[in-house]
Amino acid sequence: MRLRAAFDGYDASDATLIAPLTIRQDSSEAISTCELTIFQGQGVARYDQSRYGQATYQGWSPQEWNEVVIWDQDTAQILFAGYVLAIARAIEGPYVRYELQCSDWAIILERRLITQSWPAGTPDSTVVADLLSVVPELTEGTIVTQIGDLGELDYKDARVRDVLDDVCALTGSEWNVSYDGKLNYYRAGSIVAPFGLSDQPDGVFTMPYAIEDIGSDFADAANRVTILGRVTDTGE
């Protein structure tokens, strides 16, 4: 696999370290994150021309809120897409090391507020569509109606994500934003992995796995047990 990385359309693959790159997709969280490192030589960025009211800036360095896309060069599959949220800069010899913390497109849902009421009889998919309308950066993906009447809902200056989470709690659904910028809303558990894990994988329906870290915790162990009731040879 040959990975490529671009920031606001600028291909920075040659400066991106692949080994420490980490993408986290927690099944309990709708928003996935990415951590990556970029090395850049000092003195590359400079002003070549300068005029009153106009300047041409040569060179590039990552900035907060850059759009970032990481993809597989061989298959063109997008592995991560979103925004740069935080940057830690450090000098290492003649280079500048950038440690980037990124979040996928769904982070926009935490930055946008909505004030709206929905009367009783409103389907959940209508509420999701109304939430999507205040986030024009995203488009509609798979939106599946689960409940035809959510009851009356009323929100004032609420984060779009909070409203979406509340709807999911009422309907037993889940949501996510795919790396092509589409919001999906569906029944929890209705989307399963395309493969299973096995000690003897076939490479098609089952894949191998490896335990990298394992630990144990004896901090809450008990050396005394109190039994409520009476235990005999035949049971409790």
Side-chain angles (χ1 to χ4, degrees), residues 17 20 35 62 90 98 107 113 119 129 137 172 186 197 219 234:
L17 296 184
E35 299 173 3
Y98 299 90
I107 194 66
L113 302 179
E137 295 90 344
Y186 48 89
L197 302 177
T234 60

Side-chain angles (χ1 to χ4, degrees), residues 69-87:
V69 179
I70 301 172
W71 72 96
D72 183 350
Q73 178 177 313
D74 299 325
T75 64
Q77 177 187 1
I78 297 178
L79 305 176
F80 182 85
Y83 296 98
V84 176
L85 298 186
I87 303 175

Side-chain angles (χ1 to χ4, degrees), residues 47-70:
Y47 276 102
D48 280 351
Q49 298 178 13
S50 181
R51 300 178 182 175
Y52 180 77
Q54 179 183 359
T56 302
Y57 191 68
Q58 301 292 334
W60 172 87
S61 61
Q63 301 293 329
E64 294 80 357
W65 215 243
N66 278 155
E67 292 186 2
V68 54
V69 179
I70 301 172

Side-chain angles (χ1 to χ4, degrees), residues 75-158:
T75 64
Q77 177 187 1
I78 297 178
L79 305 176
F80 182 85
Y83 296 98
V84 176
L85 298 186
I87 303 175
R89 300 168 175 85
I91 304 298
E92 295 189 7
Y95 299 97
V96 180
R97 182 187 183 100
Y98 299 90
E99 300 286 352
L100 309 185
Q101 304 289 330
C102 309
S103 176
D104 70 18
W105 305 121
I107 194 66
I108 307 175
L109 301 175
E110 296 189 351
R111 302 295 197 272
R112 211 62 53 83
L113 302 179
I114 186 171
T115 297
Q116 187 166 336
S117 299
W118 292 272
T122 302
D124 55 352
S125 56
T126 299
V127 177
V128 174
D130 290 341
L131 295 174
L132 187 59
S133 66
V134 301
V135 191
E137 295 90 344
L138 304 180
T139 58
E140 181 177 322
T142 301
I143 307 294
V144 181
T145 301
Q146 307 297 335
I147 295 180
D149 184 0
L150 277 181
E152 184 177 354
L153 299 176
D154 185 23
Y155 288 89
K156 178 177 175 58
D157 295 333

Side-chain angles (χ1 to χ4, degrees), residues 133-209:
S133 66
V134 301
V135 191
E137 295 90 344
L138 304 180
T139 58
E140 181 177 322
T142 301
I143 307 294
V144 181
T145 301
Q146 307 297 335
I147 295 180
D149 184 0
L150 277 181
E152 184 177 354
L153 299 176
D154 185 23
Y155 288 89
K156 178 177 175 58
D157 295 333
R159 297 190 310 173
V160 171
R161 176 178 181 175
D162 292 339
V163 180
L164 195 53
D165 286 341
D166 289 347
V167 172
C168 288
L170 292 172
T171 64
S173 302
E174 294 179 343
W175 66 269
N176 68 57
V177 177
S178 57
Y179 291 146
D180 56 357
K182 293 182 178 180
L183 175 65
N184 303 295
Y185 171 80
Y186 48 89
R187 174 69 62 181
S190 62
I191 298 179
V192 298
F195 57 83
L197 302 177
S198 174
D199 293 328
Q200 298 177 335
D202 57 20
V204 179
F205 300 105
T206 56
M207 297 294 173
Y209 65 93

